Amino acid sequence: MDAILEELQKGAVYGAKALLGRELVTKSTDGVTAGIIVETEAYTQDDPASHAFRGETKRNAAMFQSSGTIYVYFTYGMHYCVNIVCGDIGVGEAVLIRAIQPTVGIEIMEQRRGVSGIRIANGPAKLTQALGITLSENAHMLGNNITLKAGITVHADDITTGPRIGISKAQEELARFYIKDNIYVSRP
DNA sequence: CGCACGATGCTCT
DNA sequence: GAGCATCGTGCGC
């Protein structure tokens, strides 16, 4: 957990790769739920597609906090997405978690999502619903209701990149990373 | 099986 | 007032 904080400190692109294979764990009154992170996307401050591109606002303030801060945002009138902040305080960088492979509390997640199998968490808004993450966790630090565990080892050879998804600017930028051949990614 | 679109409300211009 | 780091459905092939 401290080790990952050091990796996140090195920046969003580095952090996006370092987070692959880690287990994201959440606790609630429903119980514990968790999954292996299999797809991430790095957002840096100079990225026109990033919420931080136009500077700090009330909404994106968490992105400018210290590494390991959780940034949750609400979008499309119905969805939450979760990021883990990277880099120095005052710099707006974060990694969007785009897909997880469910490991713990699968029944709870099926109930929250209303589906089972691959569709439980193969997308950024799906995994927040499966893990029970909402705006109430925004700007909190990793370590309480949301934590990271070691998970599985991912070698550099097992990481690949793909086109960015769901954005209108800087689509070609090399920022989306996922574990090769993993069936739980949102898009191969 | 793939594409198109509607839902739905908050944030920033 | 537009656009959005999305998802699910519904339709046409």
Side-chain angles (χ1 to χ4, degrees):
Chain A
M1 171 81 197
D2 283 346
I4 186 69
L5 285 184
E6 274 183 40
E7 313 239 55
L8 297 175
Q9 177 66 35
K10 297 180 183 175
V13 175
Y14 191 99
K17 295 184 241 186
L19 283 168
L20 290 175
R22 309 302 272 243
E23 188 173 26
L24 186 62
V25 185
T26 63
K27 296 169 198 158
S28 80
T29 52
D30 296 342
V32 176
T33 47
I36 303 288
I37 297 172
V38 298
E39 180 175 341
T40 59
E41 184 160 352
Y43 285 91
T44 53
Q45 199 165 352
D46 60 359
D47 177 356
S50 172
H51 291 168
F53 182 65
R54 295 178 194 281
E56 184 171 345
T57 66
K58 188 173 181 183
R59 178 206 205 190
N60 66 16
M63 287 187 84
F64 294 79
Q65 311 262 85
S66 67
S67 294
T69 302
I70 295 157
Y71 169 47
V72 183
Y73 67 87
F74 181 73
T75 191
Y76 291 102
M78 58 184 92
H79 295 302
Y80 300 103
C81 296
V82 64
N83 296 248
I84 297 177
V85 176
C86 295
D88 294 325
I89 293 178
V91 178
E93 289 197 18
V95 175
L96 172 68
I97 310 299
R98 290 198 50 90
I100 62 169
Q101 171 177 341
T103 52
V104 179
I106 291 179
E107 279 190 22
I108 300 172
M109 295 194 273
E110 285 175 344
Q111 202 151 27
R112 286 174 178 157
R113 291 272 303 122
V115 300
S116 62
I118 286 182
R119 307 176 211 59
I120 292 181
N122 63 340
K126 298 181 189 179
L127 70 91
T128 54
Q129 191 186 1
L131 293 173
I133 298 172
T134 68
L135 272 187
S136 65
E137 292 299 328
N138 184 44
H140 289 200
M141 191 70 184
L142 283 170
N144 292 318
N145 292 335
I146 302 180
T147 54
L148 283 175
K149 287 174 70 173
I152 61 172
T153 302
V154 178
H155 300 281
D157 290 348
D158 298 325
I159 298 177
T160 184
T161 67
R164 307 180 80 184
I165 297 171
I167 57 177
S168 54
K169 304 192 172 218
Q171 286 153 335
E172 276 102 58
E173 213 159 308
L174 220 53
R176 187 170 72 96
F177 305 95
Y178 55 95
I179 299 179
K180 211 181 287 183
D181 296 329
N182 188 292
I183 62 171
Y184 294 92
V185 300
S186 73
R187 224 131 120 225

mmCIF file of all heavy atoms in Angstrom, chain A residues 54 57 59 74-78, chain B residues 6-13:
data_model
loop_
_atom_site.group_PDB
_atom_site.id
_atom_site.type_symbol
_atom_site.label_atom_id
_atom_site.label_comp_id
_atom_site.label_asym_id
_atom_site.label_seq_id
_atom_site.Cartn_x
_atom_site.Cartn_y
_atom_site.Cartn_z
ATOM 1 N N ARG A 54 -8.464 22.547 -17.776
ATOM 2 C CA ARG A 54 -8.784 23.967 -17.645
ATOM 3 C C ARG A 54 -8.535 24.495 -16.228
ATOM 4 O O ARG A 54 -9.114 25.510 -15.840
ATOM 5 C CB ARG A 54 -10.229 24.225 -18.046
ATOM 6 C CG ARG A 54 -10.450 23.929 -19.506
ATOM 7 C CD ARG A 54 -11.886 24.126 -19.939
ATOM 8 N NE ARG A 54 -12.099 23.528 -21.249
ATOM 9 C CZ ARG A 54 -11.735 24.098 -22.399
ATOM 10 N NH1 ARG A 54 -11.153 25.271 -22.405
ATOM 11 N NH2 ARG A 54 -11.965 23.482 -23.538
ATOM 12 N N THR A 57 -11.167 23.452 -10.363
ATOM 13 C CA THR A 57 -12.524 23.952 -10.085
ATOM 14 C C THR A 57 -13.040 23.194 -8.861
ATOM 15 O O THR A 57 -12.363 22.302 -8.343
ATOM 16 C CB THR A 57 -13.486 23.699 -11.257
ATOM 17 O OG1 THR A 57 -13.669 22.284 -11.403
ATOM 18 C CG2 THR A 57 -12.964 24.271 -12.563
ATOM 19 N N ARG A 59 -15.390 21.063 -8.801
ATOM 20 C CA ARG A 59 -15.624 19.658 -9.141
ATOM 21 C C ARG A 59 -14.345 18.828 -9.125
ATOM 22 O O ARG A 59 -14.324 17.723 -8.587
ATOM 23 C CB ARG A 59 -16.263 19.584 -10.529
ATOM 24 C CG ARG A 59 -16.521 18.180 -11.016
ATOM 25 C CD ARG A 59 -16.538 18.139 -12.537
ATOM 26 N NE ARG A 59 -17.325 17.025 -13.047
ATOM 27 C CZ ARG A 59 -17.323 16.666 -14.326
ATOM 28 N NH1 ARG A 59 -16.621 17.344 -15.201
ATOM 29 N NH2 ARG A 59 -18.030 15.639 -14.735
ATOM 30 N N PHE A 74 -19.388 12.565 -11.221
ATOM 31 C CA PHE A 74 -20.712 12.163 -11.664
ATOM 32 C C PHE A 74 -20.902 12.651 -13.092
ATOM 33 O O PHE A 74 -20.549 13.782 -13.411
ATOM 34 C CB PHE A 74 -21.751 12.810 -10.744
ATOM 35 C CG PHE A 74 -23.158 12.479 -11.064
ATOM 36 C CD1 PHE A 74 -23.679 11.226 -10.787
ATOM 37 C CD2 PHE A 74 -24.000 13.432 -11.627
ATOM 38 C CE1 PHE A 74 -24.993 10.929 -11.074
ATOM 39 C CE2 PHE A 74 -25.316 13.142 -11.911
ATOM 40 C CZ PHE A 74 -25.818 11.884 -11.634
ATOM 41 N N THR A 75 -21.394 11.813 -13.982
ATOM 42 C CA THR A 75 -21.515 12.248 -15.371
ATOM 43 C C THR A 75 -22.728 11.636 -16.056
ATOM 44 O O THR A 75 -23.289 10.647 -15.582
ATOM 45 C CB THR A 75 -20.244 11.896 -16.168
ATOM 46 O OG1 THR A 75 -20.289 12.557 -17.438
ATOM 47 C CG2 THR A 75 -20.122 10.403 -16.398
ATOM 48 N N TYR A 76 -23.129 12.223 -17.151
ATOM 49 C CA TYR A 76 -24.267 11.780 -17.945
ATOM 50 C C TYR A 76 -25.540 11.661 -17.110
ATOM 51 O O TYR A 76 -26.435 10.888 -17.442
ATOM 52 C CB TYR A 76 -23.970 10.443 -18.637
ATOM 53 C CG TYR A 76 -22.941 10.580 -19.721
ATOM 54 C CD1 TYR A 76 -21.639 10.188 -19.506
ATOM 55 C CD2 TYR A 76 -23.275 11.136 -20.942
ATOM 56 C CE1 TYR A 76 -20.680 10.331 -20.499
ATOM 57 C CE2 TYR A 76 -22.333 11.283 -21.940
ATOM 58 C CZ TYR A 76 -21.036 10.882 -21.711
ATOM 59 O OH TYR A 76 -20.108 11.022 -22.692
ATOM 60 N N GLY A 77 -25.591 12.420 -16.043
ATOM 61 C CA GLY A 77 -26.800 12.451 -15.241
ATOM 62 C C GLY A 77 -27.108 11.201 -14.468
ATOM 63 O O GLY A 77 -28.159 11.125 -13.827
ATOM 64 N N MET A 78 -26.228 10.191 -14.512
ATOM 65 C CA MET A 78 -26.556 8.938 -13.834
ATOM 66 C C MET A 78 -25.375 8.054 -13.457
ATOM 67 O O MET A 78 -25.573 7.051 -12.805
ATOM 68 C CB MET A 78 -27.512 8.120 -14.701
ATOM 69 C CG MET A 78 -26.959 7.808 -16.063
ATOM 70 S SD MET A 78 -28.148 6.948 -17.113
ATOM 71 C CE MET A 78 -28.894 8.352 -17.908
ATOM 72 P P DG B 6 -32.979 10.102 -29.685
ATOM 73 O OP1 DG B 6 -33.840 10.437 -30.821
ATOM 74 O OP2 DG B 6 -31.941 11.048 -29.225
ATOM 75 O "O5'" DG B 6 -33.905 9.749 -28.433
ATOM 76 C "C5'" DG B 6 -34.293 8.390 -28.193
ATOM 77 C "C4'" DG B 6 -34.174 8.084 -26.714
ATOM 78 O "O4'" DG B 6 -32.859 7.530 -26.422
ATOM 79 C "C3'" DG B 6 -34.331 9.304 -25.789
ATOM 80 O "O3'" DG B 6 -35.120 8.928 -24.673
ATOM 81 C "C2'" DG B 6 -32.896 9.642 -25.397
ATOM 82 C "C1'" DG B 6 -32.234 8.275 -25.391
ATOM 83 N N9 DG B 6 -30.802 8.285 -25.686
ATOM 84 C C8 DG B 6 -30.154 9.072 -26.613
ATOM 85 N N7 DG B 6 -28.866 8.852 -26.670
ATOM 86 C C5 DG B 6 -28.639 7.869 -25.716
ATOM 87 C C6 DG B 6 -27.432 7.230 -25.336
ATOM 88 O O6 DG B 6 -26.293 7.413 -25.755
ATOM 89 N N1 DG B 6 -27.647 6.291 -24.326
ATOM 90 C C2 DG B 6 -28.861 6.012 -23.763
ATOM 91 N N2 DG B 6 -28.877 5.080 -22.808
ATOM 92 N N3 DG B 6 -30.003 6.592 -24.121
ATOM 93 C C4 DG B 6 -29.810 7.513 -25.099
ATOM 94 P P DA B 7 -35.596 9.999 -23.633
ATOM 95 O OP1 DA B 7 -37.023 9.790 -23.385
ATOM 96 O OP2 DA B 7 -35.075 11.315 -24.045
ATOM 97 O "O5'" DA B 7 -34.810 9.530 -22.341
ATOM 98 C "C5'" DA B 7 -34.897 8.164 -21.936
ATOM 99 C "C4'" DA B 7 -33.968 7.937 -20.756
ATOM 100 O "O4'" DA B 7 -32.602 7.898 -21.222
ATOM 101 C "C3'" DA B 7 -34.037 9.025 -19.687
ATOM 102 O "O3'" DA B 7 -34.012 8.408 -18.425
ATOM 103 C "C2'" DA B 7 -32.774 9.843 -19.943
ATOM 104 C "C1'" DA B 7 -31.806 8.773 -20.437
ATOM 105 N N9 DA B 7 -30.734 9.270 -21.300
ATOM 106 C C8 DA B 7 -30.809 10.245 -22.249
ATOM 107 N N7 DA B 7 -29.674 10.467 -22.880
ATOM 108 C C5 DA B 7 -28.797 9.560 -22.308
ATOM 109 C C6 DA B 7 -27.437 9.281 -22.538
ATOM 110 N N6 DA B 7 -26.686 9.899 -23.439
ATOM 111 N N1 DA B 7 -26.857 8.314 -21.792
ATOM 112 C C2 DA B 7 -27.602 7.681 -20.882
ATOM 113 N N3 DA B 7 -28.891 7.855 -20.579
ATOM 114 C C4 DA B 7 -29.434 8.823 -21.336
ATOM 115 P P DT B 8 -34.734 9.107 -17.221
ATOM 116 O OP1 DT B 8 -34.922 8.070 -16.199
ATOM 117 O OP2 DT B 8 -35.881 9.879 -17.729
ATOM 118 O "O5'" DT B 8 -33.639 10.127 -16.708
ATOM 119 C "C5'" DT B 8 -32.486 9.622 -16.057
ATOM 120 C "C4'" DT B 8 -31.544 10.761 -15.776
ATOM 121 O "O4'" DT B 8 -30.754 11.060 -16.944
ATOM 122 C "C3'" DT B 8 -32.254 12.074 -15.391
ATOM 123 O "O3'" DT B 8 -31.620 12.629 -14.262
ATOM 124 C "C2'" DT B 8 -32.081 12.959 -16.608
ATOM 125 C "C1'" DT B 8 -30.729 12.473 -17.121
ATOM 126 N N1 DT B 8 -30.444 12.763 -18.537
ATOM 127 C C2 DT B 8 -29.236 12.324 -19.036
ATOM 128 O O2 DT B 8 -28.433 11.722 -18.363
ATOM 129 N N3 DT B 8 -29.002 12.641 -20.343
ATOM 130 C C4 DT B 8 -29.838 13.347 -21.192
ATOM 131 O O4 DT B 8 -29.506 13.569 -22.336
ATOM 132 C C5 DT B 8 -31.083 13.758 -20.597
ATOM 133 C C7 DT B 8 -32.066 14.497 -21.423
ATOM 134 C C6 DT B 8 -31.309 13.462 -19.319
ATOM 135 P P DG B 9 -32.533 13.583 -13.319
ATOM 136 O OP1 DG B 9 -33.061 12.735 -12.218
ATOM 137 O OP2 DG B 9 -33.448 14.378 -14.144
ATOM 138 O "O5'" DG B 9 -31.449 14.552 -12.703
ATOM 139 C "C5'" DG B 9 -30.247 14.037 -12.156
ATOM 140 C "C4'" DG B 9 -29.104 14.976 -12.456
ATOM 141 O "O4'" DG B 9 -28.725 14.869 -13.837
ATOM 142 C "C3'" DG B 9 -29.442 16.464 -12.249
ATOM 143 O "O3'" DG B 9 -28.268 17.134 -11.810
ATOM 144 C "C2'" DG B 9 -29.718 16.935 -13.665
ATOM 145 C "C1'" DG B 9 -28.610 16.166 -14.368
ATOM 146 N N9 DG B 9 -28.710 16.116 -15.813
ATOM 147 C C8 DG B 9 -29.832 16.216 -16.589
ATOM 148 N N7 DG B 9 -29.574 16.131 -17.879
ATOM 149 C C5 DG B 9 -28.192 15.970 -17.938
ATOM 150 C C6 DG B 9 -27.332 15.831 -19.049
ATOM 151 O O6 DG B 9 -27.633 15.816 -20.241
ATOM 152 N N1 DG B 9 -26.005 15.684 -18.660
ATOM 153 C C2 DG B 9 -25.559 15.691 -17.360
ATOM 154 N N2 DG B 9 -24.251 15.545 -17.167
ATOM 155 N N3 DG B 9 -26.354 15.821 -16.314
ATOM 156 C C4 DG B 9 -27.654 15.958 -16.675
ATOM 157 P P DC B 10 -28.221 17.700 -10.316
ATOM 158 O OP1 DC B 10 -28.723 16.664 -9.416
ATOM 159 O OP2 DC B 10 -28.850 19.038 -10.342
ATOM 160 O "O5'" DC B 10 -26.666 17.869 -10.068
ATOM 161 C "C5'" DC B 10 -25.795 16.790 -10.377
ATOM 162 C "C4'" DC B 10 -24.631 17.272 -11.234
ATOM 163 O "O4'" DC B 10 -25.001 17.354 -12.627
ATOM 164 C "C3'" DC B 10 -24.100 18.657 -10.852
ATOM 165 O "O3'" DC B 10 -22.696 18.561 -10.792
ATOM 166 C "C2'" DC B 10 -24.550 19.534 -12.018
ATOM 167 C "C1'" DC B 10 -24.508 18.559 -13.181
ATOM 168 N N1 DC B 10 -25.353 18.897 -14.353
ATOM 169 C C2 DC B 10 -24.788 18.872 -15.630
ATOM 170 O O2 DC B 10 -23.593 18.603 -15.761
ATOM 171 N N3 DC B 10 -25.569 19.149 -16.695
ATOM 172 C C4 DC B 10 -26.860 19.438 -16.525
ATOM 173 N N4 DC B 10 -27.592 19.686 -17.613
ATOM 174 C C5 DC B 10 -27.455 19.473 -15.233
ATOM 175 C C6 DC B 10 -26.670 19.197 -14.182
ATOM 176 P P DT B 11 -21.873 19.734 -9.927
ATOM 177 O OP1 DT B 11 -21.284 19.061 -8.770
ATOM 178 O OP2 DT B 11 -22.736 20.918 -9.749
ATOM 179 O "O5'" DT B 11 -20.736 20.124 -10.955
ATOM 180 C "C5'" DT B 11 -20.512 19.300 -12.103
ATOM 181 C "C4'" DT B 11 -19.707 20.049 -13.141
ATOM 182 O "O4'" DT B 11 -20.554 20.295 -14.291
ATOM 183 C "C3'" DT B 11 -19.180 21.419 -12.707
ATOM 184 O "O3'" DT B 11 -17.862 21.546 -13.201
ATOM 185 C "C2'" DT B 11 -20.139 22.398 -13.347
ATOM 186 C "C1'" DT B 11 -20.558 21.672 -14.617
ATOM 187 N N1 DT B 11 -21.930 21.977 -15.088
ATOM 188 C C2 DT B 11 -22.169 22.008 -16.449
ATOM 189 O O2 DT B 11 -21.295 21.821 -17.275
ATOM 190 N N3 DT B 11 -23.466 22.256 -16.804
ATOM 191 C C4 DT B 11 -24.532 22.496 -15.939
ATOM 192 O O4 DT B 11 -25.645 22.716 -16.385
ATOM 193 C C5 DT B 11 -24.206 22.458 -14.545
ATOM 194 C C7 DT B 11 -25.284 22.701 -13.538
ATOM 195 C C6 DT B 11 -22.937 22.201 -14.179
ATOM 196 P P DC B 12 -16.947 22.799 -12.756
ATOM 197 O OP1 DC B 12 -15.627 22.260 -12.427
ATOM 198 O OP2 DC B 12 -17.681 23.614 -11.763
ATOM 199 O "O5'" DC B 12 -16.828 23.616 -14.114
ATOM 200 C "C5'" DC B 12 -16.337 22.954 -15.285
ATOM 201 C "C4'" DC B 12 -16.741 23.717 -16.517
ATOM 202 O "O4'" DC B 12 -18.176 23.780 -16.600
ATOM 203 C "C3'" DC B 12 -16.244 25.173 -16.541
ATOM 204 O "O3'" DC B 12 -15.697 25.445 -17.822
ATOM 205 C "C2'" DC B 12 -17.515 25.968 -16.271
ATOM 206 C "C1'" DC B 12 -18.571 25.089 -16.933
ATOM 207 N N1 DC B 12 -19.951 25.315 -16.431
ATOM 208 C C2 DC B 12 -21.011 25.401 -17.341
ATOM 209 O O2 DC B 12 -20.775 25.281 -18.548
ATOM 210 N N3 DC B 12 -22.257 25.614 -16.867
ATOM 211 C C4 DC B 12 -22.469 25.739 -15.557
ATOM 212 N N4 DC B 12 -23.727 25.941 -15.154
ATOM 213 C C5 DC B 12 -21.410 25.654 -14.610
ATOM 214 C C6 DC B 12 -20.175 25.446 -15.084
ATOM 215 P P DT B 13 -14.989 26.873 -18.145
ATOM 216 O OP1 DT B 13 -13.659 26.592 -18.719
ATOM 217 O OP2 DT B 13 -15.107 27.740 -16.950
ATOM 218 O "O5'" DT B 13 -15.928 27.433 -19.297
ATOM 219 C "C5'" DT B 13 -16.291 26.577 -20.395
ATOM 220 C "C4'" DT B 13 -17.198 27.342 -21.358
ATOM 221 O "O4'" DT B 13 -18.538 27.388 -20.824
ATOM 222 C "C3'" DT B 13 -16.774 28.780 -21.639
ATOM 223 O "O3'" DT B 13 -16.952 29.049 -23.016
ATOM 224 C "C2'" DT B 13 -17.730 29.606 -20.805
ATOM 225 C "C1'" DT B 13 -18.979 28.749 -20.787
ATOM 226 N N1 DT B 13 -19.820 28.904 -19.580
ATOM 227 C C2 DT B 13 -21.195 28.902 -19.724
ATOM 228 O O2 DT B 13 -21.738 28.792 -20.790
ATOM 229 N N3 DT B 13 -21.891 29.030 -18.555
ATOM 230 C C4 DT B 13 -21.372 29.154 -17.278
ATOM 231 O O4 DT B 13 -22.098 29.254 -16.303
ATOM 232 C C5 DT B 13 -19.931 29.147 -17.202
ATOM 233 C C7 DT B 13 -19.268 29.284 -15.866
ATOM 234 C C6 DT B 13 -19.233 29.023 -18.347
#
